[in-house]
Amino acid sequence: MPNSESGDPSRASRRFFLRSASLAATAGVLAGSGAALAAANAAPGNAAGTSDPRDAKRMRDLAAWTALTFKTSNPVPYGCEIFHTQSGESFLRAANAVFPEHDPSAHAELRAIRLACKKLNADSLEGYTLYTTCEPCAMCMGCILWAGIDRMVYGATMDDSLRFGPNIMIPAAEVAKRSVMKCIVSGPVEREACLALFTNPAMKKVFDRWKANGTNL
């Protein structure tokens, strides 16, 4: 009996056509997957640069304000500021207060969110943008998402802060990406200005004290 593929030209042609169509479909699926991945990486929630010219100045001003804590009994490199997204007006600022408040959750971002909600008598900060001198940890980024904040802009990176103390090494953009709640993540912005808060000589003794006391900030 002749080979069914080589002995019947019409059947061979049909099989060749089916194989070609299958390969084309597979290539289309792979191309579509690549496009989807590229779109996901460009979607809100992934870390990106900033096109807002106000971001750099706001972050520099926040870093300068945070540096004022070096002259207080609670010197910290972590500061946070919340702005009204549309008006651009500053709403409030807050600094890390884990040590004086004996509260491991008293990070600058959480304190700012708590104070803002209390001031507004609301449980949502939709319509507001948050700036922070350092990329938020998973706890803080989770709270930013729960608060409904429009956009978060950070200065120093998570890797920067790891040089000076422990952290939960899940990037803020990754936390946002895995949430059904949306928040645009932008940064780093004015990274060097914010990193200078950590490397300031005034902080060395403080970091040593925190480590000795087992304090995680």
Side-chain angles (χ1 to χ4, degrees):
M1 179 179 294
N3 181 279
S4 60
E5 190 166 303
S6 60
D8 186 341
S10 61
R11 184 173 298 178
S13 297
R14 286 196 298 272
R15 293 199 175 186
F16 177 79
F17 172 78
L18 291 173
R19 286 179 180 176
S20 299
S22 177
L23 288 172
T26 301
V29 170
L30 292 175
S33 298
L37 181 59
N41 287 334
N46 290 337
T50 174
S51 59
D52 191 331
R54 298 173 297 180
D55 285 348
K57 184 180 185 306
R58 288 175 176 177
M59 191 64 76
R60 288 195 301 269
D61 290 347
L62 177 58
W65 177 82
T66 304
L68 295 177
T69 66
F70 295 164
K71 299 179 180 180
T72 71
S73 58
N74 181 45
V76 291
Y78 302 102
C80 181
E81 185 168 7
I82 294 177
F83 286 83
H84 191 275
T85 301
Q86 288 191 347
S87 71
E89 295 181 0
S90 175
F91 189 59
L92 59 77
R93 288 169 169 165
N96 182 294
V98 168
F99 195 77
E101 294 184 4
H102 304 291
D103 179 359
S105 71
H107 289 196
E109 298 91 338
L110 260 66
R111 293 190 70 240
I113 290 171
R114 290 167 179 165
L115 290 169
C117 287
K118 186 174 182 180
K119 188 173 181 179
L120 291 168
N121 193 29
D123 55 9
S124 171
L125 293 178
E126 184 177 352
Y128 289 85
T129 298
L130 182 148
Y131 291 76
T132 176
T133 57
C134 187
E135 183 177 358
C137 69
M139 174 183 72
C140 292
M141 190 61 217
C143 189
I144 288 168
L145 288 162
W146 283 114
I149 288 173
D150 299 343
R151 188 167 73 105
M152 182 279 292
V153 185
Y154 67 87
T157 67
M158 189 171 290
D159 286 335
D160 291 332
S161 67
L162 188 62
R163 293 164 48 191
F164 306 93
N167 207 333
I168 302 172
M169 299 304 291
I170 305 175
E174 182 67 20
V175 178
K177 185 177 179 180
R178 290 174 175 270
S179 170
V180 297
M181 299 166 284
K182 299 303 178 185
C183 175
I184 298 172
V185 176
S186 299
V189 173
E190 293 294 322
R191 178 183 178 185
E192 293 303 319
C194 293
L195 181 57
L197 295 168
F198 291 84
T199 59
N200 189 292
M203 286 303 304
K204 186 179 186 308
K205 290 184 179 179
V206 178
F207 285 133
D208 289 343
R209 184 180 65 180
W210 289 347
K211 290 178 182 177
N213 292 337
T215 303
N216 296 326
L217 299 181

